[in-house]
Amino acid sequence: MSKVILVTGAGRGLGTDIVREALAAGHQVVATGRRPDQVEKTLGGPQDNLLVTKLDVTSLEDAEAAAQAAVDRFGRIDVLINNAGNFFAGYFEEITPAQMRQQIETNLFGPMNVTRAILPVMRKQRSGHVITLSSSAGIIGQEFCVAYAASKFGVEGWMESLRYDVEPYGIHTTVVEPGFFRTELLVDASTTWPEPTIDDYAERTTATITAWKSMNGQQSGDPAKLARALLTITAQDKPLQRFVAGADAIEGVTAKARELLAQAEASRELGANLAHDDTNA
């Protein structure tokens, strides 16, 4: 069945693949980005089932305007795919407070802005599906990823809790945790690389930047296949609430689950008897 799908960050990378796959499957698509002319050019120009509109996810006003444009053109919004994001790489002490705030503003408050603008439409319909791209870094802390992981761990908690808010109105939620895909996240347009500023970190910073830049375009995951998998989830009667995407992510999340269980068990003796004991009052 054809759906109206709004995609953020549609100008490059995974967002472009999602839009192309959705159009090929017969859906009506609202493709958004900060530079709509460039988005439309990337997607091959005007198309009957395509609306391209401006959306900087850090602007609630942009989000509200995009939601209204979608309803004006197609009459409804069935699926929101929060895809837009960026990456501030580096060790914690070399990431400025302003950069940390900017990372969270884009990757956490950004999808919150868009979802806030679209939920009234979905509630009125009594149907909808909010899909937000997190990362395996939203489950597993990693070296050189403190800002990105902080933003994605936030996405995980928000989306997991949002489910309970909106389920009564027929709205589904899915949080997506990809591993390494060729999504252009590591290109300079998406990534802010740190300048070595602290001697203790300088050698590690330089080596890590070199290694990660060399990995761009060589990641094992195919973004077109990920886009098709997301569309499969939108067609499920009971969509996955969490989609771990890629063999590397599945392996990592499985290991993290075992680690959490082990840590919970190790905490049992010290942590399980912390309730107030009236006998000692």
Side-chain angles (χ1 to χ4, degrees):
M1 184 178 71
S2 176
K3 296 178 181 289
V4 178
I5 302 175
L6 189 149
V7 182
T8 70
R12 65 173 182 269
L14 178 61
T16 300
D17 286 302
I18 294 170
V19 173
R20 287 173 174 159
E21 294 292 338
L23 289 170
H27 298 294
Q28 297 169 308
V29 182
V30 183
T32 73
R34 289 178 297 170
R35 302 175 184 85
D37 291 345
Q38 184 60 45
V39 173
E40 187 170 83
K41 181 179 178 182
T42 299
L43 294 171
Q47 301 171 53
D48 290 343
N49 284 345
L50 174 66
L51 169 65
V52 177
T53 190
K54 180 180 182 296
L55 174 53
D56 178 341
V57 298
T58 65
S59 167
L60 181 57
E61 292 75 16
D62 273 12
E64 290 171 341
Q68 187 60 54
V71 172
D72 290 346
R73 174 71 175 271
F74 297 122
R76 59 188 295 115
I77 302 170
D78 297 303
V79 180
L80 163 63
I81 301 181
N82 285 310
N83 165 73
N86 59 15
F87 177 32
F88 281 82
Y91 295 107
F92 176 66
E93 288 187 275
E94 294 191 318
I95 294 175
T96 68
Q99 288 174 327
M100 183 68 77
R101 289 180 183 276
Q102 188 175 346
Q103 177 75 102
I104 293 174
E105 190 71 40
T106 299
N107 287 2
L108 177 56
F109 288 114
M112 285 183 173
N113 284 336
V114 183
T115 303
R116 189 182 299 279
I118 284 173
L119 281 179
V121 178
M122 293 183 172
R123 277 193 293 104
K124 185 177 180 180
Q125 298 167 176
R126 286 301 194 259
S127 66
H129 191 176
V130 178
I131 299 175
T132 301
L133 271 292
S134 177
S135 167
S136 57
I139 293 287
I140 308 161
Q142 301 175 38
E143 181 181 6
F144 218 62
C145 290
V146 287
Y148 187 71
S151 69
K152 294 301 188 180
F153 267 72
V155 164
E156 295 280 337
W158 165 57
M159 284 292 292
E160 190 168 304
S161 299
L162 180 67
R163 165 197 167 193
Y164 299 100
D165 293 3
V166 300
E167 265 188 342
Y169 313 112
I171 302 170
H172 301 289
T173 63
T174 300
V175 61
V176 183
E177 295 151 353
F180 283 101
F181 280 78
R182 298 184 295 278
T183 59
E184 299 188 26
L185 181 64
L186 296 179
V187 300
D188 290 342
S190 297
T191 296
T192 298
W193 301 104
E195 293 290 337
T197 57
I198 299 174
D199 287 346
D200 275 347
Y201 294 107
E203 184 176 346
R204 293 166 67 195
T205 294
T206 300
T208 304
I209 291 173
T210 300
W212 281 36
K213 282 188 174 183
S214 69
M215 187 170 59
N216 182 51
Q218 306 302 314
Q219 301 97 318
S220 60
D222 182 340
K225 289 183 177 180
L226 176 55
R228 288 193 288 273
L230 295 180
L231 293 177
T232 297
I233 291 171
T234 69
Q236 293 174 333
D237 291 335
K238 293 184 177 180
L240 288 170
Q241 295 166 9
R242 172 172 276 107
F243 175 41
V244 185
D248 57 337
I250 291 171
E251 182 179 347
V253 170
T254 301
K256 179 63 178 281
R258 293 194 187 102
E259 180 185 337
L260 286 173
L261 287 171
Q263 290 178 358
E265 189 59 38
S267 301
R268 186 177 299 279
E269 182 177 352
L270 183 61
N273 297 307
L274 299 179
H276 179 70
D277 187 349
D278 290 334
T279 62
N280 293 328

